């Protein structure tokens, strides 16, 4: 009896090349969060390289858990796991509220560990409660993630140092525009693998263009070792602050919602529908991977939906191909020289690519909202108020200045406040006091929620990650 295509083992060469393609499709999405958070904390080039390598390493471990599985952990579907974008804004908020920046990462790591463990325990219950996170909620949150991150790209585009006299000069903005144009041209006029790695090619091309302007620094590569290991607790032992933990627990709910949507979508694509047991096992892999990740200096992990698009496009459904991709991620994490290459890319070049990267997240959220039943006045109100609440920290950064410092960690994250608002409003308008027949159309379906969080960088969202 032949095995299902999901369990098929391909010839070694094909397994390796297709596995690499999965890495290429999600690489930019994995390295962007440590770059953003590391810059917010003020890490040196060497420390930034270490943090990036750690995130690659832990993404590989999380991918192993999800694809190969152990016990009741892992959906055993062709899922790539990596750092979730949902945590970026809350983590930068935590960093901004930490007086001693050397404590910022330990506080973030402590919060991620607790959120991961709580998520692991909640996984079987969450798989039953997914009806409370329909497209009107996930679409709003995804849109907020993209909108919240766009200012980061705009800051990068202006240069590496806000205090420098040439910050925001035509030189830097021109490099950002050239990179953006390169990515757009590649997306428009290429196909297949080249189209999938358009952002990566754009980063390389932008770095080359930047060489004559003297803004490319090869120091991190020269200082990096060829072989290294993400030493546990390199940045210090985890610290557990209640406000930071609450903020990351909200992110964990968003991440679990995203992963559930992705599992439903991928199950349809590979013709192995994700049932309640598969979703619970997949969520256990996500949350356990997130809890383990900080031990090796990584962040919260979640499924990457751009790789779902890659599975649909190539029609290669083997989970072992994705597991091989996870192996490449681990190897890259063990090679600081490889991880340091991203640190060479000038900030304006990252800014140009970031417009596509983060804008794609917002666009994916809008795609989800289009299918969220906005012909209903109640859903329009949910989206309107939740977006308004979530955009407050972006448009009025000092809006909550009179609140206690611990409360501001949550309030200053538009993603966290917007998510809470969307969930509560959805309960009020679509569930409380309604009969089951009236609420059945609010439950997420695979075709509607595949556009959930994370389908960021390189592939056209089949719906999203």
């Amino acid at each position: 009896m032949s095995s299902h295509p999901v369990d098929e083992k391909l010839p070694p060469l094909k397994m390796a090349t297709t596995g690499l393609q999965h890495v290429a499709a999600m690489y930019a999405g994995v390295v962007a969060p440590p770059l953003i958070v590391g810059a917010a904390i003020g890490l040196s080039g060497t420390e930034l390289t270490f943090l990036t390598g750690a995130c690659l390493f832990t993404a590989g471990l999380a991918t192993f858990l999800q694809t190969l599985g152990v016990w009741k952990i892992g959906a055993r579907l062709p899922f790539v796991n990596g750092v979730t974008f949902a945590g970026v804004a809350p983590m930068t908020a935590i960093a901004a509220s930490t007086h001693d920046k050397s404590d910022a990462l330990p506080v973030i790591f402590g919060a991620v560990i607790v959120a991961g463990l709580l998520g692991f325990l909640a996984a079987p219950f969450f798989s039953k409660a997914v009806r409370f996170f329909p497209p009107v909620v996930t679409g709003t949150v995804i849109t907020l993630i993209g909108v919240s991150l766009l200012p980061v790209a705009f800051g990068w585009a202006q240069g590496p140092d806000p205090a420098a006299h040439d910050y925001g000069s035509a030189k830097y903005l021109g490099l950002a525009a050239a990179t953006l144009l390169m990515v757009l041209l590649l997306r428009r006029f290429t196909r297949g693998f080249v189209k999938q790695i358009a952002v990566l090619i754009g980063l390389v091309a932008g770095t080359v263009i930047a060489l004559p302007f003297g803004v490319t620094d090869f120091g991190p590569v020269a200082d990096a070792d060829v072989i290294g290991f993400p030493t546990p607790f390199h940045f210090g032992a985890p610290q557990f602050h209640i406000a930071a933990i609450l903020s990351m627990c909200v992110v964990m709910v968003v991440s679990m919602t995203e992963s559930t949507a992705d599992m439903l979508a991928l199950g349809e694509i590979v013709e192995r529908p994700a049932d309640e047991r598969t979703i619970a096992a997949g969520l256990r892999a996500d949350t356990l991977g997130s809890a383990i990740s900080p031990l090796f200096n990584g962040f919260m992990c979640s499924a990457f939906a751009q790789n779902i698009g890659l599975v649909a496009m190539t029609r290669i459904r083997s989970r072992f191909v994705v597991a091989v991709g996870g192996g490449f991620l681990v190897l890259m994490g063990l090679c600081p020289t490889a991880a340091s290459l991203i640190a060479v890319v000038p900030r304006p070049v990252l800014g140009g690519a970031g417009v596509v990267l983060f804008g794609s997240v917002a666009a994916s959220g809008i795609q989800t909202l289009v299918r969220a039943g906005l012909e209903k006045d109640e859903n329009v109100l949910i989206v309107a108020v939740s977006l308004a609440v979530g955009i407050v920290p972006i448009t009025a950064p000092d809006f909550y200045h009179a609140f206690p410092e611990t409360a501001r960690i949550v309030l200053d994250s538009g993603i966290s406040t917007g998510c809470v608002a969307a969930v509560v409003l959805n309960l009020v308008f679509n569930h409380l006091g309604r009969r089951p027949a009236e609420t059945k159309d609010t439950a997420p379906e695979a075709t509607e929620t595949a556009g959930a969080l994370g389908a960021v960088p390189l592939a056209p969202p089949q719906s999203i990650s």
Side-chain angles (χ1 to χ4, degrees), residues 52 75-76 84 102 109 128 141 152 155 157 201 206 253-254 262 278 280 301 328 332 345 373 394 396 421 454 458-459:
T52 303
R76 293 169 175 81
T84 176
S102 64
F109 291 151
K128 301 177 188 294
V141 175
V152 174
I201 295 174
V253 171
V254 174
D262 288 341
T278 300
C301 295
F328 282 121
M332 292 170 71
V345 181
I394 304 169
L458 305 171

Side-chain angles (χ1 to χ4, degrees), residues 75-152:
R76 293 169 175 81
L77 290 171
F79 260 133
V80 173
N81 273 43
V83 181
T84 176
F85 267 85
V88 173
M91 288 190 293
T92 53
I94 292 170
S97 67
T98 306
H99 297 296
D100 185 350
K101 296 304 178 189
S102 64
D103 289 334
L105 283 175
V107 170
I108 290 171
F109 291 151
V112 173
I113 289 173
V114 174
L117 293 176
L118 291 176
F120 183 84
L121 295 175
F125 306 102
F126 191 91
S127 63
K128 301 177 188 294
V130 70
R131 69 191 183 93
F132 296 114
F133 298 89
V136 71
V137 173
T138 56
T140 301
V141 175
I142 296 161
T143 303
L144 280 173
I145 290 169
V147 172
S148 297
L149 291 176
L150 278 171
V152 174

Side-chain angles (χ1 to χ4, degrees), residues 391-400 412:
I391 291 174
V392 165
I394 304 169
T395 56
D398 297 324
F399 189 82
Y400 299 111
D412 283 344

Side-chain angles (χ1 to χ4, degrees), residues 96-239:
S97 67
T98 306
H99 297 296
D100 185 350
K101 296 304 178 189
S102 64
D103 289 334
L105 283 175
V107 170
I108 290 171
F109 291 151
V112 173
I113 289 173
V114 174
L117 293 176
L118 291 176
F120 183 84
L121 295 175
F125 306 102
F126 191 91
S127 63
K128 301 177 188 294
V130 70
R131 69 191 183 93
F132 296 114
F133 298 89
V136 71
V137 173
T138 56
T140 301
V141 175
I142 296 161
T143 303
L144 280 173
I145 290 169
V147 172
S148 297
L149 291 176
L150 278 171
V152 174
F154 301 149
W156 283 348
Q158 295 179 78
D161 184 7
H165 72 279
D166 61 349
Y167 185 71
S169 65
K171 173 179 68 175
Y172 291 138
L173 296 181
L175 287 173
T179 304
L180 174 59
L181 180 62
M182 176 66 68
V183 174
L184 293 176
L185 289 174
L186 287 168
R187 291 290 299 175
R188 173 62 182 84
F189 295 108
T190 62
R191 293 183 178 182
F193 184 58
V194 173
K195 187 173 184 177
Q196 292 289 333
I197 61 171
V199 172
L200 218 51
I201 295 174
L203 291 174
V204 174
T207 302
V208 172
I209 295 171
L211 287 173
F213 296 94
V215 295
T216 304
D217 179 16
F218 288 96
V221 177
D223 297 336
D225 297 325
V226 176
I227 299 175
F229 184 78
T231 314
F233 303 129
H234 174 82
F235 295 98
Q239 299 178 25

Side-chain angles (χ1 to χ4, degrees), residues 431-448:
H431 290 276
L432 296 181
R434 296 290 186 98
R435 295 189 300 273
E438 294 179 296
T439 61
K440 66 180 181 179
D441 61 322
T442 66
E445 298 177 7
T447 55
E448 293 181 325

Side-chain angles (χ1 to χ4, degrees), residues 51 53-62 65 82-84 108-110 112-113 116 230-234 285-302:
L51 186 64
C55 287
L56 289 168
F57 179 78
T58 53
L61 295 183
L65 271 178
V83 181
T84 176
I108 290 171
F109 291 151
V112 173
I113 289 173
T231 314
F233 303 129
H234 174 82
D286 269 6
T287 53
L288 182 61
S290 296
I292 293 173
S293 187
L295 306 181
F296 299 100
N297 315 284
F299 298 139
M300 188 177 291
C301 295
S302 179

Side-chain angles (χ1 to χ4, degrees), residues 17 22 49 78 93 101 162 179 195 252 295 328 387 409 425 434:
T17 54
H22 275 285
T49 294
K101 296 304 178 189
T179 304
K195 187 173 184 177
M252 179 57 73
L295 306 181
F328 282 121
L387 285 178
I409 292 178
L425 290 173
R434 296 290 186 98

